[in-house]
Amino acid sequence: MADKHQAARPPGHKRLAQAAAVTAGKATHRARMLPGFLIVGGQRCGTTSMYRTLSQHPALLKALWHKGVHYFDTGYDKGPAWYQGHFPLRTTAARVERRHGVKPLAFESSPYYGFHPLAGARIAADLPQVKLLMLVRDPVERAYSAHSHELGRGFETEPFEKAVELEEERLAGEAERLAADPSATSHALQHNAYLARSRYIEQIERLEKLVGRDRLHVVDSHEFFTEPETVYKGVLDFLGVPPLGSPVFERHNARSRSPLPDELHARLDEYFRPYDERLAEWLGRTPSWRR
């Protein structure tokens, strides 16, 4: 498995350059920004497309070396100076503000934050004003897409239906283990939680209790891809920044895969129905895949 994990990482020279940059960033962390918002999920729900769209806004400043810093989930033991070292300098923010008349926000996108059992509480404690953005999509399609993604990265070896059957066993006790040892990580929670990570309402309700409803914005990714201008404006309104220019809306990280068998799709669709009903109540509207 180790060599498969290695294959999913950047080339050696790139990792070395990133490590050197992060070390330099840590040394200057007091002069750097902290994020004003985070994209916290969900995995395979269009987070990369949203990240790249928002990155085009001149007052939204992305983390310097990684789309996702993964501090609050798998890197929390590295400390706050390490985390702050990933963001632009405050002098950069000041130049942006002088040029555009808008106070800039830094951000990153780590879709595991919304699901990791400890990340939400860490975020709430360390970034008490931060806003959270979460994307959701058809949960059956998300689960199937996530499996294809993890299979391609070498983090999964079982076919989708078998992986779904194994999920409860794989995840048993993992959240409790992380709670008992905050420095621990869980391969199963991060890479094999296909159904659990599609139960969006569980993550949303947990985050709402930690940060409040007004600091949590949920985007239906189907609406984002079919009505990007409207959804983008809604996100900017949530963040409190005006539109500056017109971004190019593109879809990223889509994977081709064979169709899911009808019987399995129907069974999983029924499994997710009660969770989607709770999500609809929270959103105040029916999610796109149930209309």
Side-chain angles (χ1 to χ4, degrees):
M1 183 65 76
D3 56 344
K4 290 181 179 178
H5 287 210
Q6 185 75 15
R9 300 171 66 191
H13 65 278
K14 185 176 181 181
R15 291 200 307 276
L16 289 173
Q18 288 176 341
V22 170
T23 298
K26 181 178 178 181
T28 57
H29 73 276
R30 289 186 178 85
R32 296 183 178 274
M33 306 173 71
L34 279 170
F37 73 99
L38 303 169
I39 301 175
V40 297
Q43 181 204 38
R44 308 304 297 169
C45 289
T47 55
T48 298
S49 298
M50 178 64 74
Y51 168 84
R52 293 189 178 179
T53 297
L54 295 177
S55 296
Q56 297 175 57
H57 192 291
L60 302 180
L61 309 181
K62 62 185 179 180
L64 298 176
W65 303 292
H66 310 276
K67 175 176 84 77
V69 182
H70 287 286
Y71 172 62
F72 294 104
D73 47 26
T74 60
Y76 200 61
D77 59 326
K78 296 177 181 177
W82 178 88
Y83 184 58
Q84 192 167 357
H86 283 77
F87 294 98
L89 292 164
R90 289 197 295 271
T91 53
T92 300
R95 286 198 301 271
V96 170
E97 186 170 6
R98 286 194 299 271
R99 181 175 181 179
H100 296 285
V102 177
K103 188 175 180 62
L105 299 174
F107 74 106
E108 55 130 332
S109 173
S110 296
Y112 190 29
Y113 286 167
F115 181 69
H116 188 282
L118 304 181
R122 291 167 173 171
I123 291 167
D126 293 356
L127 301 173
Q129 304 302 318
V130 78
K131 294 183 177 182
L132 306 181
L133 181 61
M134 184 165 182
L135 285 80
V136 297
R137 68 182 284 199
D138 181 324
V140 179
E141 292 302 320
R142 192 223 72 83
Y144 191 33
S145 175
H147 175 267
S148 177
H149 181 65
E150 301 298 352
L151 200 66
R153 298 171 71 204
F155 295 133
E156 177 61 86
T157 57
E158 300 288 353
F160 180 61
E161 189 166 7
K162 180 65 174 178
V164 167
E165 291 174 1
L166 290 172
E167 181 170 330
E168 184 175 356
E169 177 185 342
R170 283 171 158 180
L171 269 55
E174 288 297 278
E176 294 78 8
R177 185 173 64 82
L178 293 190
D181 179 7
S183 66
T185 59
S186 170
H187 177 94
L189 281 177
Q190 188 168 4
H191 300 293
N192 308 133
Y194 307 112
L195 303 187
R197 291 183 77 163
S198 289
R199 299 195 297 261
Y200 308 120
I201 189 60
E202 295 178 341
Q203 300 164 59
I204 290 168
E205 288 177 344
R206 182 171 68 242
L207 292 172
E208 181 184 12
K209 289 177 182 176
L210 292 166
V211 305
R213 180 76 176 246
D214 62 333
R215 285 168 48 206
L216 177 60
H217 186 69
V218 178
V219 168
D220 185 319
S221 67
H222 175 75
E223 295 174 352
F224 176 47
F225 291 127
T226 56
E227 307 171 53
E229 294 86 358
T230 301
V231 171
Y232 176 69
K233 183 181 184 304
V235 172
L236 295 187
D237 289 346
F238 166 68
L239 297 176
V241 297
L244 296 173
S246 299
V248 176
F249 298 105
E250 296 179 331
R251 191 164 188 163
H252 298 274
N253 282 359
R255 280 181 179 266
S256 60
R257 56 190 184 277
S258 59
L260 195 61
D262 290 344
E263 184 277 331
L264 179 57
H265 191 289
R267 178 155 50 89
L268 293 179
D269 185 69
E270 193 60 28
Y271 168 85
F272 285 118
R273 185 175 299 278
Y275 301 102
D276 290 345
E277 289 173 353
R278 287 167 54 194
L279 176 62
E281 185 176 351
W282 193 93
L283 292 171
R285 67 184 190 280
T286 303
S288 61
W289 59 91
R290 291 289 179 185
R291 293 174 195 158

